[in-house]
Amino acid sequence: MKYRRFVSVLALLAAVDARAATAPKSANETVSAESRSMTYSLIRNGSRIGTMTETHSAAGDVVTTTTQTDIEVKVIIVLYHFTQSTSETWKGDQFVSFTSETDDNGTPHKVAVNA
């Protein structure tokens, strides 16, 4: 299905962006308490079908990235919906945890990974 391929590409792009944002800092860099958020409009065939919001926060050497994705494709009625919430945490250059909850058009998926 085209929508699943689109969602897979979207998830891959989000993972690459999240990993880049949470990449370990060098020994000469210090991380202060900070947070930034970015919201993207998701467009298909010229129409907005959803949003993806990423929030990157750092406190000391702990970096957490959360992502919320909401997609809804409709033509009078909803033909497809997708929601996903993820959170990835790193401490220095060490992976701490990753969680994800997804509703792929009514099919739930959950992932939880800890170091």
Side-chain angles (χ1 to χ4, degrees), residues 87-99 112-115:
S87 178
E88 180 179 353
T89 303
W90 290 78
K91 182 171 181 165
D93 63 351
Q94 297 293 311
F95 168 79
V96 175
S97 66
F98 173 83
T99 60
V113 179
N114 294 303

Side-chain angles (χ1 to χ4, degrees), residues 6-98:
F6 170 78
V7 170
S8 296
V9 169
L10 179 65
L12 177 62
L13 291 173
V16 168
D17 186 49
R19 181 63 183 120
T22 60
K25 305 292 183 191
S26 71
N28 295 332
E29 292 182 69
T30 59
V31 179
S32 62
E34 60 182 60
S35 180
R36 67 182 175 130
S37 183
M38 298 170 285
T39 299
Y40 305 95
S41 290
L42 305 176
I43 309 296
R44 180 178 183 271
N45 294 335
S47 297
R48 184 173 180 255
I49 61 168
T51 60
M52 182 173 73
T53 301
E54 292 182 343
T55 302
H56 306 281
S57 58
D61 65 345
V62 177
V63 177
T64 300
T65 299
T66 58
T67 304
Q68 176 64 43
T69 304
D70 296 294
I71 297 172
E72 186 173 87
V73 178
K74 61 183 173 181
V75 178
I76 301 175
I77 62 169
V78 175
L79 299 175
Y80 176 79
H81 73 273
F82 176 90
T83 59
Q84 183 177 57
S85 298
T86 66
S87 178
E88 180 179 353
T89 303
W90 290 78
K91 182 171 181 165
D93 63 351
Q94 297 293 311
F95 168 79
V96 175
S97 66
F98 173 83

